[in-house]
């Protein structure tokens, strides 16, 4: 599977998308339910999730996604 490619030295497949919202929609097609965990019902990024595009935090899902850009999804860890 594509998500297993990184350990071999190959980067995982990147969805071709014009913006962050489209990239998340494509990832949700590949991994059903992923978008719901990242984006709330009003279309905002959930508080425990941070999105970074080329090391800059993304707060707007309409942010353009350059062809060579790297989108990183980081979720907070919690527990007790």
């Amino acid at each position: 599977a594509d998500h297993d490619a990184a350990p071999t030295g190959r980067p995982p497949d990147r969805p071709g998308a014009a913006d962050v919202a489209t990239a998340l929609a494509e990832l949700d097609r590949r991994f059903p339910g992923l978008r719901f965990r990242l984006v709330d019902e009003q279309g905002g990024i959930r508080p425990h999730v941070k999105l970074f595009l080329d090391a800059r935090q993304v707060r707007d899902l309409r942010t353009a996604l350059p062809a060579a850009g790297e989108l990183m999804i980081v979720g907070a860890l919690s527990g007790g």
Side-chain angles (χ1 to χ4, degrees), residues 15-17 21-35:
T22 306
L24 294 181
E26 175 59 27
L27 287 170
D28 193 61
R29 279 190 283 282
R30 294 181 187 189
F31 307 99
L34 178 66
R35 187 180 188 285

Side-chain angles (χ1 to χ4, degrees), residues 1 12 18 24 39 43-44 46 51-52 55 72 74 78-79:
L24 294 181
V39 179
R46 293 193 184 273
L51 301 177
F52 296 91
M72 187 181 317
V74 180
S78 63

